Amino acid sequence: MHIRTLTGSLAAVLVLSTPLLWGGQAVAAPSGAPEQTSAARLLTYDTSGSAEFRAAVDRGAAIWNESVDAVELRPAASGQRANIRVLADNGWPRALPTTLGNGTVYIGRQAVNQGYDTIRISAHELGHILGLPDRKPGPCSSLMSGSSAGTACTNRYPNAAEKAEVEGNFAGTRSGAPEPAERTGSAGPVPQVALIGD
């Protein structure tokens, strides 16, 4: 995963420069000073219901982690309520986002049986949870083109525009702490649900 940092060198320059401007004494920052990072928004996912697609889901999450800085997808710890639930079924792949970063993904066997790449399906459906819409028809170079790129397309990576859109969706929401999974019930607002297919 990419992490943007304010390097120790830049911090040291700032520490050294400010006192000199006012006639004070400059003091060097310790050489082992930790770098400051802008932590990604952490989202957890649960693959306990993803059957034979567990490895494909893990790889799809890793692809997003390699591709963007603003969000990080991690498997949920045992007993932890996950932001994203991933299930396998016999239908067509789809995502049911509830709010940005929360929802349910179905890895449908229908598309897999037709020859679509399971990791591309996984990364595509996780893209919906990260706020991306389908882009149909689309070229294979677009992850969000989904099935319109055909079964020969095995591109599993978002293009530059898709990466930028996810970065924008999560800008200002970075925390580094796990994002609480959305709770349902009368205590909070009712989430809007959208069925987003391949």
Side-chain angles (χ1 to χ4, degrees), residues 18 45 48 52 62 72 111 120 122 129 147 154 156 164 167 188 196:
T18 305
Y45 63 93
S48 62
E52 70 269 27
E72 180 180 355
R120 178 174 165 84
S122 173
I129 301 296
S147 64
T154 59
R156 301 160 172 182
E167 296 285 11
I196 301 178

Side-chain angles (χ1 to χ4, degrees), residues 2-13:
H2 304 283
I3 299 179
R4 292 187 179 97
T5 61
L6 176 59
T7 65
S9 300
L10 180 57
V13 168

Side-chain angles (χ1 to χ4, degrees), residues 101-173:
N102 293 284
T104 303
V105 165
Y106 291 87
I107 308 296
R109 292 182 183 98
Q110 183 178 353
V112 175
N113 293 340
Q114 290 181 20
Y116 290 95
D117 183 79
T118 56
I119 296 173
R120 178 174 165 84
I121 292 169
S122 173
H124 173 94
E125 298 305 335
L126 289 170
H128 287 311
I129 301 296
L130 300 178
L132 298 178
D134 282 315
R135 299 230 162 68
K136 293 182 182 180
C140 184
S141 60
S142 168
L143 176 63
M144 299 315 290
S145 66
S147 64
S148 70
T151 56
C153 178
T154 59
N155 171 41
R156 301 160 172 182
Y157 287 84
N159 63 27
E162 292 162 341
K163 292 176 192 178
E165 190 171 343
V166 169
E167 296 285 11
N169 289 346
F170 287 89
T173 66

Side-chain angles (χ1 to χ4, degrees), residues 22-97:
W22 304 105
Q25 181 178 0
V27 177
S31 61
E35 294 182 344
Q36 296 178 5
T37 62
S38 179
R41 180 170 165 193
L42 180 57
L43 300 175
T44 58
Y45 63 93
D46 176 7
T47 57
S48 62
S50 64
E52 70 269 27
F53 304 118
R54 181 175 291 199
V57 173
D58 287 338
R59 184 64 194 127
I63 286 167
W64 279 108
N65 290 342
E66 295 164 15
S67 300
V68 296
D69 295 328
V71 66
E72 180 180 355
L73 300 169
R74 284 191 197 161
S78 179
Q80 179 184 18
R81 185 182 178 112
N83 300 95
I84 306 163
R85 216 172 99 202
V86 184
L87 304 170
D89 73 1
N90 294 323
W92 195 258
R94 61 206 178 276
L96 300 170

